[in-house]
Amino acid sequence: MPVQDADLVVVSNRGPLTIDADEEGEDRYQRGGGGLVSGMQTALSESPGAVWVCAAMRERERSIARGASGHRLSSVPPAAEALHGDFDVVMLPIDAPTYRAAYNGIANATLWFVLHMLFDSPRRPVFDARWRRQWAAYQRYNLAFAETVTQIAADNGTVMVQDYHLFLLPALIRRQRPDLRIGFFTHTPWVGPDYFSALPADVCRELLEGVSGADVVGFHTRRWADDFEACCESLLGARSRARVEVFGLRTDARELNARAHRRDVESALRDLNVAVGDRLVVGRVDRAELSKNVLRGLLAFRELLVRYSEWQGRVVHIVFDNPSREDLVEYRDYTRDVQELAENINDELGTEDWTPVLLSIEHDYPAALATLRRSDVLLVNPIRDGMNLVIFEGIVLSERSAVAVVSENAGAAEVLGSDALLVNPFDVSQTADALHRALSMPVDERAARTVGLRAAATQLPPTAWFAAQLEVVRDSDSVSG
Ligand code: F6P
């Protein structure tokens, strides 16, 4: 039976389950990764009857979704078992070439690069005939979501659309179902009109008008909301018809602590303690992602060891990189550069009993949580970041009142303010100085900062974050509805 009459529909590219094959070739159901998925999963635990519409991202998911009644995962027993929460999941089996062009070519290699200012402008972007074909795929991908969402949403229901994969969706839904209330949330940063308008003019328009089809458009911080409004004013010649609001997602301390004290994390922490002994730890956990700026983080750590040589032998930099978007050559190249630089630092400065950089490029959630628990300093220096939830998780989990060294271009900087040490992500020397200051900070100052950091990191946990958005969306007077 296809789903119908859903009062609340959440829509995102990545869903709460990934399905791949284990070593024996059997289907393996795992929790989807990333900030959006974990935040939304917690939020939906208090929305019984909701439906989450997402894309099948790989072949195995496509074939399971095609075989499921109405693409509903609850009709596939092992998937239903793996889902946590009282909501159903509809997975769209969009054809592989369309999906790849929309996800890799447009969402990740174009829109993500624009929003995080990652282009190497003498070479990229190039908007040519090939790119236009990818753009047509992105339009088809958004249309496929619109078709499903408009079929399953109840009269006067609410639809909450997430992120840059689906920028065109709010306007597409509105056109067909003006009775619906539509919220759109952007988990990424936004950029000012000068940078955004690198995109072709018709594409800028379609994207901004697409998002503005929502009743309420949400951002993590005021800075990104202002950039979006400036783009609308400059490139559409008018303010967005949507109400633009700020809802800054934070972390759920109770849930996180419960997970981070399970047996698998305790065991990972014991291993970590054997590896680092009583040395101080500068820790970081990221997706292996260009915008996270791990390379400059490593350069700063090397400069710290050279300019403040008293730290040699006394501190270890633990870098946890979860593999991500490996279909894109830029990501594969960047990860290789990170590996090479870590090896160079270890060859250049390490000794027989001290390895300065411990780098892991793998998915190992328990070991990542153990790293956060063991960190004395947390380094989060993204080039740009919508919020950065990992810094909040580190602040909650650190058992050593970790000092937070944070990029001023992460949304989290606006939230943490002067309780963190803020750095320009391009300024490696300033970051090295901040690491020195953090490592040298007196205990009472660390403790005082931790009080403020913890309060900020937990202020709007996922359930409250989502409830606040729903309230505003449901109260909104739809312009055309
Ligand atoms: O920052 C936006 C975001 O959706 C994050 O919430 C998430 O970690 C990341 O992008 C996921 O990217 P992908 O689904 O491509 O792995």
Side-chain angles (χ1 to χ4, degrees):
M1 265 272 293
V3 187
Q4 272 173 334
D5 289 338
D7 280 325
L8 175 60
V9 183
V10 169
V11 198
S12 64
N13 172 65
R14 187 179 286 281
L17 274 189
T18 59
I19 311 169
D20 60 5
D22 65 15
E23 292 76 31
E24 276 87 50
E26 298 293 319
D27 291 338
R28 177 173 53 191
Y29 294 80
Q30 288 178 302
R31 194 184 129 136
L36 182 160
V37 166
S38 57
M40 197 49 73
Q41 210 156 23
T42 310
L44 280 188
S45 62
E46 291 188 10
S47 299
V51 178
W52 188 335
V53 180
C54 60
M57 295 181 68
R58 41 180 70 78
E59 209 36 61
R60 209 157 189 105
E61 292 174 354
R62 269 187 283 275
S63 75
I64 287 171
R66 275 194 208 103
S69 156
H71 309 321
R72 294 168 63 188
L73 291 190
S74 61
S75 71
V76 181
E81 207 174 296
L83 282 172
H84 298 289
D86 191 11
F87 54 88
D88 207 343
V89 176
V90 170
M91 209 178 233
L92 298 189
I94 296 167
D95 70 275
T98 299
Y99 184 76
R100 273 197 295 269
Y103 176 70
N104 289 328
I106 302 299
N108 288 341
T110 305
L111 300 176
W112 182 271
F113 274 59
V114 170
L115 298 172
H116 292 82
M117 294 180 137
L118 295 176
F119 284 125
D120 172 13
S121 63
R123 296 173 205 282
R124 294 200 48 211
V126 174
F127 301 120
D128 55 4
R130 176 168 173 266
W131 186 87
R132 281 287 169 178
R133 285 193 292 276
Q134 295 175 333
W135 175 249
Y138 182 81
Q139 292 170 315
R140 286 199 301 281
Y141 163 99
N142 274 260
L143 272 169
F145 273 92
E147 208 173 293
T148 298
V149 170
T150 52
Q151 277 170 20
I152 68 178
D155 287 350
N156 302 310
T158 308
V159 182
M160 303 294 277
V161 183
Q162 313 295 310
D163 247 353
Y164 56 99
H165 314 86
L166 295 165
F167 277 156
L168 308 183
L169 186 57
L172 293 172
I173 296 175
R174 176 163 304 284
R175 222 165 284 152
Q176 294 178 48
R177 291 286 307 273
D179 60 300
L180 298 175
R181 290 282 177 275
I182 308 169
F184 185 88
F185 193 85
T186 307
H187 295 256
T188 63
W190 203 272
V191 283
D194 280 358
Y195 202 84
F196 194 74
S197 61
L199 294 168
D202 61 311
V203 170
C204 286
R205 262 201 109 71
E206 203 171 329
L207 291 169
L208 294 169
E209 283 171 352
V211 173
S212 298
D215 294 293
V216 179
V217 177
F219 291 89
H220 279 307
T221 67
R222 175 50 44 204
R223 179 175 172 189
W224 313 138
D226 287 348
D227 279 343
F228 172 74
E229 293 197 286
C231 280
C232 290
E233 279 175 37
S234 160
L235 304 171
L236 294 181
R239 288 177 71 84
S240 171
R241 63 164 288 293
R243 180 168 160 186
V244 178
E245 290 282 340
V246 175
F247 305 95
L249 177 61
R250 321 290 166 86
T251 197
D252 184 323
R254 213 154 50 132
E255 189 186 283
L256 184 64
N257 265 310
R259 178 64 191 91
H261 288 83
R262 295 228 300 250
R263 207 180 295 165
D264 52 356
V265 182
E266 299 296 351
S267 146
L269 187 58
R270 277 193 295 278
D271 294 346
L272 194 58
N273 278 323
V274 170
V276 301
D278 57 3
R279 295 187 171 94
L280 295 177
V281 169
V282 174
R284 73 179 303 157
V285 174
D286 303 281
R287 272 187 311 113
E289 156 65 54
L290 282 67
S291 65
K292 303 296 179 187
N293 207 19
V294 176
L295 272 182
R296 290 193 190 83
L298 285 167
L299 291 174
F301 185 68
R302 177 165 70 187
E303 190 165 320
L304 167 89
L305 297 176
V306 173
R307 276 205 289 122
Y308 301 97
S309 57
E310 65 270 29
W311 292 114
Q312 291 194 18
R314 294 173 53 208
V315 60
V316 173
H317 187 19
I318 302 183
V319 180
F320 232 97
D321 250 7
N322 301 308
S324 180
R325 303 182 187 166
E326 292 161 291
D327 285 348
L328 295 184
V329 63
E330 290 90 340
Y331 282 67
R332 294 197 299 272
D333 288 352
Y334 190 82
T335 301
R336 193 203 49 230
D337 291 349
V338 165
Q339 273 167 316
E340 276 177 20
L341 181 55
E343 278 162 26
N344 289 346
I345 295 172
N346 288 340
D347 289 346
E348 187 189 333
L349 297 163
T351 60
E352 221 161 80
D353 66 346
W354 171 58
T355 306
V357 179
L358 299 179
L359 170 69
S360 305
I361 301 178
E362 58 182 331
H363 291 285
D364 186 344
Y365 192 48
L369 291 174
T371 299
L372 297 177
R373 283 180 59 184
R374 180 61 181 78
S375 290
D376 300 274
V377 175
L378 295 159
L379 176 60
V380 165
N381 64 327
I383 290 169
R384 258 171 122 71
D385 208 334
M387 180 57 101
N388 194 288
L389 296 175
V390 175
I391 187 64
F392 298 152
E393 294 173 356
I395 287 165
V396 166
L397 291 182
S398 165
E399 289 162 8
R400 302 169 154 245
S401 301
V403 182
V405 177
V406 178
S407 162
E408 58 203 17
N409 292 341
E414 197 172 300
V415 169
L416 299 173
S418 59
D419 284 322
L421 303 184
L422 300 185
V423 294
N424 167 350
F426 304 102
D427 191 339
V428 166
S429 295
Q430 184 203 25
T431 308
D433 290 338
L435 290 176
H436 172 64
R437 189 172 159 211
L439 290 164
S440 324
M441 193 174 282
V443 177
D444 50 350
E445 186 182 343
R446 295 170 83 96
R449 283 173 185 267
T450 297
V451 174
L453 291 173
R454 289 220 168 125
T458 54
Q459 208 183 31
L460 195 63
T463 32
W465 168 81
F466 192 60
Q469 288 177 67
L470 272 185
E471 198 182 320
V472 177
V473 172
R474 285 180 170 155
D475 281 356
S476 61
D477 288 325
S478 180
V479 171
S480 56

